[in-house]
Amino acid sequence: MNYPLPDLAGRTEIERLVNAFYDRVRSDEMLGFIFDEVAAVDWSKHLPKMYDFWETVLFRSGGYTGNPLAAHAKLVPLTGMGRPQFDRWLELFRATVDGLFAGENAEHIKNCAADMANVIHLKINGIPDPRTDPANLTPEQRARYAAYRAGTP
Ligand code: HEM
């Protein structure tokens, strides 16, 4: 049974991916209770929101408007939201994608997830992002940001 896997082509595949991913998340020892007990997520709302989110990320349709940073920041005082949790989240996400899809969009969605996991993790834990650490800026970037802050870009 060596069928080649399809790539993510649109909303239908996004919905399959999101449903399969949260099935795994909910039965995961490290993450399940964060959704079902800590945040007491209403899945009838969360799943469609996540279809919209990933459709917006991948295809620029989907119409997601929301604030992922705030949604996760409010969990920080309530439960562990550190690197181990984000690594586990990513492991489940990648495994779900790889179990169902293969191709350019499948690779792209995994990269997007990894980038966003990094940003969300750093921001909600107040850790400076090494890419924007002033110590790592070029003189040109430093001057541009200073001008932007002073309102004279
Ligand atoms: C430790 C890893 C993570 C945990 C435990 C987690 C948990 C949650 C929970 C509980 C919510 C629902 C919040 C609420 O409605 O009250 C949520 C929302 C959401 N999560 Fe995560 N999340 C994680 C990582 C990520 C990552 C890496 C992404 C993006 C790639 C992501 C994208 C989203 C989005 C888009 C929402 C909806 C925000 C909104 O309300 O607009 N999550 N997450």
Side-chain angles (χ1 to χ4, degrees):
M1 75 148 244
N2 248 341
Y3 303 112
L5 294 170
D7 199 358
L8 287 143
R11 179 80 175 193
T12 310
E13 292 81 8
I14 298 265
E15 290 186 8
R16 270 182 71 206
L17 170 64
V18 168
N19 290 339
F21 173 61
Y22 286 105
D23 278 351
R24 289 196 192 209
V25 165
R26 291 184 78 176
S27 57
D28 187 68
E29 214 173 297
M30 188 186 266
L31 299 179
F33 78 97
I34 301 182
F35 288 82
D36 280 316
E37 286 164 42
V38 179
V41 162
D42 176 349
W43 292 97
S44 69
K45 297 208 174 87
H46 189 58
L47 292 174
K49 192 188 284 185
M50 298 311 292
Y51 307 150
D52 292 347
F53 174 72
W54 284 114
E55 192 184 332
T56 304
V57 170
L58 212 52
F59 302 113
R60 303 212 177 105
S61 49
Y64 172 79
T65 53
N67 188 342
L69 276 182
H72 300 94
K74 75 181 182 201
L75 298 172
V76 171
L78 306 176
T79 188
M81 287 292 282
R83 201 64 238 183
Q85 285 77 12
F86 279 92
D87 285 344
R88 181 70 183 144
W89 188 104
L90 273 176
E91 194 181 334
L92 295 179
F93 191 82
R94 290 189 177 117
T96 312
V97 174
D98 289 340
L100 295 171
F101 304 104
E104 212 175 297
N105 288 336
E107 288 310 304
H108 186 56
I109 203 168
K110 287 184 285 178
N111 289 333
C112 290
D115 287 347
M116 286 187 281
N118 286 337
V119 171
I120 295 171
H121 167 249
L122 293 170
K123 293 249 184 212
I124 67 175
N125 290 291
I127 305 165
D129 185 334
R131 290 168 305 179
T132 55
D133 185 330
N136 298 331
L137 296 178
T138 64
E140 184 276 325
Q141 285 173 319
R142 208 167 288 144
R144 183 148 44 83
Y145 293 160
Y148 176 76
R149 270 197 304 276
T152 54

